[in-house]
Amino acid sequence: MDEASAERSAGPTDIKDDLIRREAKKAFVWIGVASLFALVVLLAQPIMVILGGIVFAALIDGGQRLISRIAPWLPRGIRIMIVVLGTFAFLVWLVIFAGGQLAAQAAALPAVIQTQLGRLTIWAQSHGITMRDFNLQQIVSQVLGSVGQVTRALGGIFGGFTTAFLIFILSIYFVLEPHLYRRGFAWMLPEDSRDHWEGTALRMGKALRMLLFGRMVGMFVEGIATWLLLAWWGVPMAALLGLLTGLLAFLPNIGAPISGLLMTLVGFSVSNETGLFCIAVYFVVQTVDGNIIIPMVAKRTADLAPALVLGAQLMFGLLFGILGLMLADPIVVMLKILLERQAERNSMGRDGLAVSPLTSKQPA
């Protein structure tokens, strides 16, 4: 056999049967899809960090858009710098001026909670409530385990420094050149899907900005109002409780009950009147936030069912920890818009209409 004949001869991997060749291609596609899912599972934490950068970039972009309404003559880069420097200045103030006081209060808070849980156990036993089948103190301590981690993180602020730093750097890159990353992602899609993706990305950006704006307003109102009311009554750890209430307000359905329970336990550690006042503060603040602030923002943001949000928080919190819990809302919003856009595309395609992207050219 000469060299030319050897080059044209069949190799050990050649498949002559067309049916087997087609099925082999399908098998390789399914293997690739399964491998992709496995890769996503292995890279879950970096993916959550990237999503965190996207969410925080939307928050920065929303801040610079608010500044543009006051000072539209400022360049976009200057407005972004103002938002970033303002955030950094707040963090510096929190560490330098409030860090010592908050750290001392955070160190005292677990002891107060344990004392109140012991009193609650004794009260339950004195009223004939048997503790044979369950240990109330142990159960509540487990429920508050994540809160204990938050308070310890406030005492030593560098607990998640690496993750927060990566999210911050990614958000700066995303917000400075959003078109660059949208085009890069669109380049990996089929050509007839790129315009559709552009419209979807713009709609996602707007929904994220409105969602995060509502969260920030709720956090500010709840934190400041709780701090001022508790400080006016003389409740211990008012600053820490106000800060925790504001931070936990970022987690709807979950954060408010936790902050309310903490306030109640600290209040009853002083007196019954103080405990009742803390309960009243919790209901007043939550009523104002739930009936005035949230509905005003909800008119212009994504319409999410509370049960859907709570379920997503539970699943993402279990899978990805505190980062998944914080990003559950934005992820659900993006998935909801993605499905809505695909449904619109399918409907227009069925009716024989052309699918056009959003005409807005504002960066998301």
Side-chain angles (χ1 to χ4, degrees):
M1 181 182 296
D2 57 8
E3 183 177 349
S5 299
E7 290 181 354
R8 293 193 299 269
S9 62
T13 59
D14 287 332
I15 301 176
K16 296 299 184 181
D17 191 293
D18 292 338
L19 177 61
I20 296 178
R21 185 183 295 111
R22 289 196 302 270
E23 294 301 324
K25 290 181 180 179
K26 294 179 182 178
F28 280 116
V29 169
W30 283 111
I31 291 174
V33 171
S35 301
L36 181 61
F37 274 104
L39 187 63
V40 168
V41 172
L42 292 175
L43 300 178
Q45 193 65 24
I47 291 174
M48 293 302 295
V49 172
I50 294 173
L51 290 176
I54 294 174
V55 171
F56 196 68
L59 185 61
I60 297 175
D61 188 53
Q64 69 88 15
R65 287 169 184 263
L66 288 178
I67 296 177
S68 69
R69 296 186 178 184
I70 302 174
W73 61 87
L74 288 176
R76 185 173 183 272
I78 300 298
R79 299 197 300 265
I80 292 175
M81 183 182 300
I82 292 174
V83 174
V84 173
L85 291 179
T87 303
F88 183 74
F90 171 76
L91 294 177
V92 170
W93 172 85
L94 185 64
V95 174
I96 296 179
F97 296 98
Q101 180 184 3
L102 293 178
Q105 294 181 4
L109 181 59
V112 173
I113 294 176
Q114 291 294 333
T115 302
Q116 289 303 101
L117 291 176
R119 293 179 180 178
L120 183 59
T121 303
I122 296 174
W123 177 87
Q125 292 175 348
S126 65
H127 286 75
I129 301 176
T130 177
M131 311 300 291
R132 188 179 312 160
D133 298 328
F134 61 95
N135 189 326
L136 179 62
Q137 184 171 352
Q138 180 180 0
I139 293 175
V140 179
S141 298
Q142 292 176 353
V143 173
L144 294 177
S146 59
V147 179
Q149 295 176 1
V150 173
T151 58
R152 287 194 297 270
L154 289 174
I157 215 106
F158 299 99
F161 176 77
T162 302
T163 300
F165 179 75
L166 289 175
I167 290 176
F168 177 74
I169 295 299
L170 286 173
S171 65
I172 296 298
Y173 287 139
F174 289 149
V175 77
L176 285 176
E177 295 181 306
H179 295 293
L180 175 65
Y181 299 99
R182 285 206 306 268
R183 288 198 307 267
F185 189 85
W187 177 78
M188 296 185 293
L189 299 175
E191 187 174 358
D192 58 351
S193 299
R194 294 175 184 176
D195 289 341
H196 176 77
W197 158 250
E198 180 73 13
T200 302
L202 291 175
R203 188 180 294 185
M204 283 182 180
K206 181 178 180 180
L208 280 179
R209 289 193 300 270
M210 296 307 302
L211 176 69
L212 295 173
F213 173 74
R215 292 287 182 268
M216 295 301 296
V217 171
M219 291 170 64
F220 180 80
V221 171
E222 291 189 26
I224 295 297
T226 301
W227 169 50
L228 293 178
L229 291 173
L230 295 182
W232 172 72
W233 190 267
V235 179
M237 309 175 194
L240 177 63
L241 291 173
L243 180 61
L244 286 176
T245 300
L247 293 176
L248 290 171
F250 192 82
L251 307 175
N253 304 320
I254 294 179
I258 296 177
S259 63
L261 180 59
L262 291 175
M263 281 192 293
T264 302
L265 291 174
V266 173
F268 278 106
S269 69
V270 179
S271 64
N272 292 337
E273 292 78 8
T274 303
L276 294 175
F277 176 78
C278 290
I279 295 176
V281 168
Y282 168 74
F283 280 106
V284 169
V285 171
Q286 295 302 320
T287 299
V288 172
D289 184 52
N291 295 328
I292 298 178
I293 298 175
I294 292 180
M296 291 175 59
V297 177
K299 292 179 180 179
R300 300 184 59 185
T301 188
D303 184 18
L304 296 179
L308 176 62
V309 174
L310 180 58
Q313 288 174 344
L314 294 176
M315 289 189 296
F316 280 94
L318 180 63
L319 293 174
F320 309 112
I322 187 65
L323 188 60
L325 189 63
M326 294 176 61
L327 298 178
D329 270 16
I331 292 175
V332 171
V333 168
M334 289 189 287
L335 290 176
K336 180 175 180 289
I337 292 176
L338 183 64
L339 294 176
E340 288 176 346
R341 287 281 294 171
Q342 186 61 40
E344 293 174 4
R345 187 181 190 186
N346 294 340
S347 177
M348 292 182 177
R350 185 177 61 247
D351 296 337
L353 300 176
V355 182
S356 60
L358 298 180
T359 58
S360 174
K361 295 301 181 182
Q362 294 178 344

